[in-house]
Amino acid sequence: MGSLDDTNFTSDSPILNEFKPLDPEEFRKQAYQTVDFIVDYYKNIEKYPVLSQVEPGYLRNHLPNTAPNEPEPFESILKDVQKEIIPGMTNWLSPNFFAFFPATVSTAAFMGEMLCTSFNSVGFNWLASPAATELEIVVMDWLAAMLKLPKSFMFSGSGGGVIQGTTSEAILCTLVAARDRALERIGEDNIGKLVVYGSDQTHSTFAKACKIAGILSCNVRSLHTTTDTYFSLSPTFVRATIEADVAAGFVPIYLCLTVGTTSSNAVDPIDQFADMASSHGIWLHVDAAYAGSACICPEFRHYLDGVERADSLSLSPHKWFLTYLDCCCLWVKNPSLLVRALSTNPEYLKNKPSESNSVVDYKDWQVGTGRKFRSLRLWLVLRSYGVVNLQSHIRSDVQMAKMFEGFARADPRFEIVVPRRFALVCFRLNPNADSEPSSIELMNRKLLDWVNSTGRLYMTHSIVGGVYMLRFAVGATLTEDSHVIAAWKLIKEGADALLAG
């Protein structure tokens, strides 16, 4: 790889005269080369360590200090991707990736992303890209219907949906709308009285959104959960906390429920919180980032019971719906509250369709102004696979998780820490029930470190109710039964060596 050398630069350089950043035939050639490269990566992905084995700073030592002055052959660049970049990748698409929650992909979504990127549409308002706006409206209603959401969340009813980047953005946007609704009533000087609620299992995104929205950290209630409710929020406890805050002069404005928490897949019972939220004027948001996708299957739909009483719902198809990062679907019951909180109207964006109030301008439904044509990905996934294949995909992952759960239950040295929901198994090595909690934790930390150090699979951990546990999340697109079986054999091998030592 070359490096920048100012002494070689001349204003009449022939490179500048011949520069064509988008030559169609060169694009065709390099695109074919890139697709071949990607296909080979997918075919050979099991040959790479799942968790990258490089040391911090490795890449800076391998690359030049400055950008090249002269153009370099595309073939050389691809060779360096293979040689320098892939070793530093934690391979989320590996079939042996069982960490966090999966980031799923598919051929259809990749084709959608190619189209999205090729158009480079910046659809901040309807006029900037009518197709981008209207397709998003269509697919958000399609997915809402698949989830059996009420008409109050659909454009065909009185609500509507928008594709955000991540859950972080969805929570922030709805929180700002809830904040402004409250401040219109009590006055902006009283922002210090606003109180919001989530559980101690709510994603850390919530605390970050509160900070950005100006909610005082001391007014963010992280409510304790217990094993009695399998780490779901207790309606009785939440009601008591809200009533105590009201008595103390605070103004409750937002309650974030979760369907499928990150640590253990706990589910907060939506229908049991609707009345208390309504009676106190609290915005009720449902974060179903991971598990919401499963609710297209009738056997899982009951986890959304009561959602018709919520103000908003978000789920992330990039987690379990084969749609590539980033794609978070947010539905709101009252879009005008979102628009009122987030809209801007500079002169240079004014136009007749927007001023007629007959179109949707998605810049007013999100934090930023510019936005990608994300709906193309979701549209291609829905059309290419249909509901039946997407349901089959979800069910297959759940069955593999059940299989792994069976392995862990059958080995007396292991235990299931919380009941399995969806495709996440939370377990730990605990061969002696009389062992001290600290020694059990240390044992499991060592087991996790050993398993991940092999590069043959990747898991992560969490702590719930003070218990350190291992998380086995099934769902990478390429994962099959054989990978789950091999993963269990490796975990057993690690446990054998640990206990023998």
Side-chain angles (χ1 to χ4, degrees):
M1 287 177 285
S3 62
L4 182 63
D5 183 352
D6 291 340
T7 61
N8 294 331
F9 175 79
T10 58
S11 60
D12 59 349
S13 168
I15 296 171
L16 296 181
N17 295 334
E18 299 169 4
F19 182 49
K20 294 181 179 179
L22 189 59
D23 176 87
E25 290 309 314
E26 186 63 22
F27 179 90
R28 188 193 308 275
K29 173 188 171 184
Q30 294 186 12
Y32 277 122
Q33 288 177 286
T34 303
V35 168
D36 285 342
F37 182 93
I38 293 169
V39 170
D40 287 341
Y41 169 69
Y42 286 169
K43 287 175 66 176
N44 296 310
I45 196 167
E46 288 191 72
K47 297 178 181 178
Y48 305 120
V50 187
L51 180 63
S52 175
Q53 305 295 301
V54 301
E55 297 294 328
Y58 91 99
L59 193 56
R60 181 177 287 274
N61 296 328
H62 287 204
L63 299 183
N65 293 327
T66 57
N69 190 51
E70 304 287 336
E72 299 181 6
F74 187 65
E75 292 80 2
S76 297
I77 298 171
L78 280 183
K79 286 180 181 178
D80 282 331
V81 173
Q82 181 70 47
K83 178 184 174 184
E84 309 292 359
I85 302 302
I86 288 182
M89 296 292 297
T90 289
N91 293 291
W92 284 67
L93 302 189
S94 169
N96 298 307
F97 185 96
F98 301 104
F100 307 112
F101 284 128
T104 54
V105 301
S106 64
T107 301
F110 198 100
M111 298 304 109
E113 179 62 18
M114 287 176 67
L115 290 171
C116 168
T117 301
S118 68
F119 294 142
N120 200 34
S121 172
V122 188
F124 42 78
N125 60 22
W126 181 88
L127 192 62
S129 187
T133 298
E134 298 200 9
L135 184 62
E136 190 159 333
I137 290 171
V138 169
V139 298
M140 289 301 292
D141 270 11
W142 278 10
L143 186 50
M146 290 166 62
L147 293 164
K148 293 183 169 45
L149 298 185
K151 286 283 188 179
S152 56
F153 278 123
M154 300 166 69
F155 286 103
S156 57
S158 55
V162 57
I163 300 178
Q164 305 279 355
T166 64
T167 302
S168 309
E169 297 167 46
I171 290 178
L172 177 59
C173 290
T174 53
L175 180 60
V176 168
R179 178 200 67 188
D180 285 7
R181 180 177 69 174
L183 292 179
E184 286 179 6
R185 178 169 54 87
I186 66 174
E188 293 184 357
D189 292 343
N190 290 308
I191 191 171
K193 294 182 178 180
L194 303 184
V195 184
V196 300
Y197 306 86
S199 83
D200 55 9
Q201 302 300 308
T202 301
H203 198 280
S204 58
T205 287
F206 180 54
K208 182 184 290 189
C210 293
K211 185 180 296 187
I212 296 171
I215 306 299
L216 298 180
S217 58
C218 58
N219 289 354
V220 179
R221 305 286 186 256
S222 180
L223 303 175
H224 182 58
T225 59
T226 67
T227 54
D228 294 339
T229 59
Y230 300 122
F231 303 103
S232 300
L233 269 173
S234 161
T236 302
F237 183 49
V238 174
R239 183 183 297 278
T241 305
I242 291 173
E243 290 175 351
D245 280 335
V246 171
F250 291 106
V251 180
I253 65 162
Y254 192 94
L255 171 59
C256 184
L257 303 181
T258 307
V259 175
T261 60
T262 301
S263 288
S264 65
N265 256 342
V267 175
D268 297 326
I270 304 170
D271 52 354
Q272 296 183 38
F273 292 91
D275 285 340
M276 71 177 78
S278 177
S279 63
H280 290 283
I282 296 172
W283 185 296
L284 186 61
H285 177 73
V286 179
D287 169 15
Y290 163 68
S293 294
C295 295
I296 66 166
C297 300
E299 64 267 32
F300 297 119
R301 177 54 179 79
H302 66 277
Y303 288 114
L304 290 182
D305 285 355
V307 72
E308 67 279 358
R309 302 283 306 280
D311 294 280
S312 53
L313 164 72
S314 60
L315 66 85
S316 297
H318 60 243
K319 288 186 183 295
W320 207 0
F321 218 66
L322 306 174
T323 311
Y324 276 90
L325 194 70
D326 51 5
C327 181
C328 174
C329 295
L330 168 67
W331 290 273
V332 290
K333 188 175 287 184
N334 190 342
S336 65
L337 293 176
L338 208 62
V339 171
R340 196 156 68 223
L342 300 171
S343 66
T344 56
N345 193 28
E347 186 63 35
Y348 51 80
L349 292 184
K350 291 181 179 179
N351 61 85
K352 288 183 179 179
S354 295
E355 291 172 1
S356 71
N357 292 320
S358 61
V359 297
V360 172
D361 287 343
Y362 271 126
K363 69 178 178 60
D364 300 328
W365 293 53
Q366 63 178 30
V367 174
T369 299
R371 63 198 324 271
K372 293 178 65 177
F373 197 168
R374 293 190 186 101
S375 57
L376 267 174
R377 266 181 287 155
L378 195 51
W379 189 51
L380 262 72
V381 167
L382 295 176
R383 291 193 62 187
S384 298
Y385 304 136
V387 177
V388 64
N389 278 313
L390 292 169
Q391 290 174 331
S392 176
H393 158 68
I394 297 288
R395 289 166 176 153
S396 174
D397 288 345
V398 172
Q399 283 302 120
M400 285 189 283
K402 285 182 178 179
M403 179 172 65
F404 183 89
E405 178 189 26
F407 294 153
R409 288 191 183 278
D411 190 322
R413 301 173 302 172
F414 289 86
E415 65 179 356
I416 302 299
V417 179
V418 293
R420 180 199 52 77
R421 283 197 181 99
F422 309 107
L424 172 67
V425 181
C426 299
F427 71 108
R428 67 174 179 170
L429 177 63
N430 185 14
N432 187 348
D434 297 328
S435 297
E436 289 293 323
S438 59
S439 64
I440 299 173
E441 177 175 333
L442 180 60
M443 185 187 311
N444 281 274
R445 286 184 182 275
K446 288 180 177 179
L447 176 58
L448 182 63
D449 288 344
W450 181 85
V451 167
N452 288 341
S453 71
T454 67
R456 290 157 59 187
L457 66 86
Y458 180 33
M459 295 188 302
T460 48
H461 78 281
S462 192
I463 297 177
V464 293
V467 176
Y468 180 96
M469 65 184 189
L470 308 180
R471 299 172 69 262
F472 191 86
V474 179
T477 306
L478 299 173
T479 301
E480 298 177 354
D481 286 2
S482 59
H483 301 103
V484 175
I485 294 169
W488 175 247
K489 288 180 179 178
L490 182 65
I491 293 167
K492 281 213 312 177
E493 179 184 338
D496 291 343
L498 192 62
L499 296 175

